[in-house]
């Protein structure tokens, strides 16, 4: 059981034995009727039942009721009951445990269907030969084929009959209902004819129908068992143990934040951490999608589940358990596969009413043929063909299977899709808005030049040292560069930050121009953008323009008398006003454009998308980066709080917008956009606000993600088209008596296998192809 304490509790149970979307609908309807259930959802692809509790019901009691309801419907609950085992209770069942349970259940189902098919094929073959070849027929042959066909219908077809009976007890129908009605009707009619002593028997039809459908189901189960390979691989990749510095081996789950452990060459890194000692090439392909190993050294961050290909490492754990990146990736992939897009809800609604409609059509066909021709044999054959050909297994598999495979393939490529609705949201995108720093650029600034006109070398050096001391209190990337480029031993106090503009603090050891610059002298030092300064000398302004034209970002430095809060109060004025401030010096820093950014932007344009560069940087610096990357539209000098407003303005123009960013200040814009894509190397809050996450931080992944989402949606559309087209064409042919029931059974199985095979093609999706 999984509970969320904040707003609403949920219970998740892994369900075994589902064979079609009708099974999922039956369970979902049964759970929705339980007291205390607010919303119930059952997903055929992930094979999980999820309910939201309305808050008044005891979760433990409701879970017991859910188990009873699912088992009563004829299905299995794979999630262990609470307290059933000391180490694997329902509350502690991890995704890895759940997928392991499904793997075991899949293996049992595959073996079971194989046995039933072997029995069916062995008995159905002589049944068909005797029934169809007059030379093989002998006195009483009908009784022989009855004896051969009966085990096929009732042993090989038992999974379908059992599901039908369980569903009927709850006044529900599934795709299995059509199989049961068709095969049992053929067998029953034949027995009546045999006992009556006159008429044509259809034992071979019943036997072949069941055998072919069991064959199709066996192949289908084998194929769909591989659909969740990606999430199972993520869950299984984690190391079970960790070796501490003193050689003690402990369980991975016993690792705590701050604990240090050792990784030898070839071993899997147990959890996320910081390299303290050693160097190695780390294979992070399962997490990032990149095949090339990544070199790590002291100070490097590593991800649990990756492999140290060579070299030994000592790592300090920084995230453990459910907080690790691998656990978060697995959870996001699982949530995406469990959700339902609008297109899937449509298919579910159709599947829910399809079976009763088909049974009605079969009855109409039977009555119509009897009234038109009086030929009982032809009427019966046509009605059975309608039942068999209409079985909409393909319709039920069309959407959830494609979503599962597509989302799993995305995880392998380092693309995390938060939910299936994202797939639909990529259909009609018009504009991609790219944050500049850390998204199209490396996000690692380097100091290019400094300029302090009017100050001698010693004065300039002291002023730049003061600027470094003030910036040392800031976490901004530019601030870090300035702080690390100069000594910052000066004492400061009263640090204040103006988001998106700069910082101010009182610095001791620095006086105003012309004043005593002794150790006790103080001044208010401001470091930031042009907005913070009232005046900029002409020489400094010219130098700034030159630097910005080359793509650099310029930060100004100025001093003022130390005032409380940096404010002056005018005579007779109750409203404080800021003290006039002049810029005395400037520092130019430049962020390097990522080598892959130009290729990424060209790929986005090839997808028919307009590209906009969004930056809080000055107009000249941002436009220089835009020119380098071939981006025509650049929106610069945007404060953090205004980025989402830019998205809104674009949307008001009727355009669907993708926002790509990596920082905390990008989160509102990511949430506002029709599709938000976070660079995985950025802030956690940005990833939480996004719809898609690129784990490896490569901007080319934006085009890859959009391409994969569109490919997955295209696969779903193709699946649904062929599933609908198959039924639309086949049902009239069957009703017209143009399809033999045996051919109908083969065609029905073939349609399901087509949908499975078409969905599994996504496992080979190559963004470069």
């Amino acid at each position: 059981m999984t509970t969320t304490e904040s707003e609403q509790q949920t219970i998740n149970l892994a369900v075994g034995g589902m064979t079609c979307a009708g099974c999922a609908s039956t369970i979902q309807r049964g759970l929705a009727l339980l007291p205390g259930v607010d919303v119930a959802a059952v997903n055929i692809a992930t094979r999980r039942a999820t309910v939201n509790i309305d808050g008044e019901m005891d979760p433990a009691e409701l879970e017991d009721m859910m188990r009873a309801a699912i088992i009563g419907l004829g299905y299995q609950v794979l999630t262990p009951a609470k307290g059933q085992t000391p180490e694997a209770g329902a509350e502690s069942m991890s995704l890895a445990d759940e997928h392991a349970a499904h793997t075991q259940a899949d293996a049992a189902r595959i073996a079971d269907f194989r046995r039933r098919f072997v029995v069916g094929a062995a008995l159905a073959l002589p049944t068909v030969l005797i029934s169809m070849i007059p030379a093989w027929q002998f006195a009483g042959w009908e009784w022989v084929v009855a004896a051969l066909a009966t085990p096929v219908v009732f042993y090989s077809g038992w999974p379908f009959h059992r599901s039908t009976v369980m569903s009927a007890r709850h006044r529900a129908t599934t795709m299995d209902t059509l199989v049961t009605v068709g095969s049992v009707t053929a067998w029953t009619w034949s027995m009546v004819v045999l006992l009556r002593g006159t008429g044509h028997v259809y034992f071979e039809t019943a036997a072949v129908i069941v055998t072919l459908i069991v064959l199709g189901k066996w192949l289908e189960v084998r194929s769909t068992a591989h659909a969740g390979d990606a999430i199972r691989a993520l869950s299984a990749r984690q190391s079970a143990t960790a070796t501490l510095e003193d050689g003690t081996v402990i369980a991975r789950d016993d690792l705590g934040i701050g604990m240090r452990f050792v990784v030898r060459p070839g071993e899997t890194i147990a959890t996320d951490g910081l390299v303290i000692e050693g160097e190695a090439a780390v294979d992070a392909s399962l997490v990032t999608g990149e095949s090339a190993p990544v070199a790590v050294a002291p100070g490097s961050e590593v991800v649990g589940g990756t492999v140290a290909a060579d070299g030994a490492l000592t790592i300090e754990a920084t995230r453990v358990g459910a907080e690790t990146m691998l656990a978060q990736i697995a959870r996001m992939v699982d949530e995406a596969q469990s959700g339902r897009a609008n297109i899937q809800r449509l298919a579910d609604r159709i599947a829910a009413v399809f079976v009763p409609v088909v049974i009605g059509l079969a009855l109409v066909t039977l009555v119509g043929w009897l009234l038109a021709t009086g030929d009982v044999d032809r009427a019966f054959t046509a009605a059975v063909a309608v039942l068999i050909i209409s079985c909409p297994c393909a319709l039920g598999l069309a959407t959830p299977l494609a979503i599962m495979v597509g989302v799993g393939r995305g995880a392998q490529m380092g693309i995390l899709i938060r939910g299936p609705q994202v797939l639909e949201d990529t259909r009609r995108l018009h504009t991609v808005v790219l944050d500049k720093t850390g998204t199209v650029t490396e996000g690692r600034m380097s100091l290019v030049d400094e300029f302090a006109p009017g100050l001698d070398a010693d004065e300039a050096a002291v002023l730049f040292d003061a600027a470094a001391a003030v910036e040392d209190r800031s976490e901004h990337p530019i601030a870090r560069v300035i702080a690390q480029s100069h000594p910052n031993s000066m004492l400061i106090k009263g640090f204040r930050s103006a988001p998106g503009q700069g910082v101010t603090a009182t610095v001791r050891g620095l006086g105003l121009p012309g004043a005593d610059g002794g150790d006790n002298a103080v001044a208010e030092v401001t470091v930031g953008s042009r907005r913070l300064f009232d005046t900029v000398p002409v020489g400094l302004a010219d130098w700034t323009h030159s630097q910005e034209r080359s793509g650099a970002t310029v930060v100004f430095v100025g001093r003022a008398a130390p005032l409380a809060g940096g404010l002056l109060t005018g005579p007779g004025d109750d409203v404080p006003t800021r003290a006039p401030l002049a810029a005395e010096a400037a520092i130019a820093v430049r962020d390097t454009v990522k080598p892959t950014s130009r290729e990424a932007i060209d790929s986005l344009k090839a997808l028919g998308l307009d590209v906009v560069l969004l930056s809080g940087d000055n107009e000249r610096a941002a436009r220089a980066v835009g020119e380098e990357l071939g981006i025509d539209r650049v929106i610069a000098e945007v404060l953090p709080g205004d980025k989402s407003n830019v998205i809104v303005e674009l949307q008001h123009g009727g355009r669907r917008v993708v926002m790509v960013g990596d920082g905390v200040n990008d989160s509102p814009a990511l949430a506002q956009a029709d599709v938000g894509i976070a660079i995985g190397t950025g802030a956690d809050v940005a990833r939480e606000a996004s719809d898609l996450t690129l784990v490896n931080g490569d901007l080319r992944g934006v085009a890859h993600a959009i391409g994969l989402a569109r490919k997955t949606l295209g696969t779903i559309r193709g699946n649904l088209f062929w599933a609908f087209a198959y039924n639309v064409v086949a049902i009239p042919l069957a009703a017209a008596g143009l399809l033999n029931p045996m051919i109908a059974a083969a065609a029905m199985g073939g349609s399901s296998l087509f949908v499975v095979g078409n969905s599994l093609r996504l496992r080979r999706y190559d963004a470069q192809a």
Side-chain angles (χ1 to χ4, degrees), residues 115-128 144-161 179-180 183-184 187 202-215:
R115 284 192 300 270
R116 295 180 189 277
F117 168 69
V118 170
V119 170
L123 298 178
L125 180 59
T127 300
V128 172
V144 174
V145 296
L148 291 171
T150 299
V152 179
V153 173
F154 293 103
Y155 169 73
S156 297
W158 175 244
F160 309 108
H161 307 328
V179 178
T180 294
S183 60
V184 173
W187 182 89
Y202 292 93
F203 288 116
E204 79 284 357
T205 298
V208 172
I209 286 172
V210 170
T211 301
L212 289 175
I213 291 175
V214 170
L215 172 61

Side-chain angles (χ1 to χ4, degrees), residues 2 12 59 87 123 144 212 240 242 271 311 326 412 429 557 566 608 641 718 756:
T2 302
N12 292 311
E87 64 277 355
L123 298 178
V144 174
L212 289 175
T271 193
L326 199 62
Q412 291 175 329
L429 296 175
V557 184
V756 171

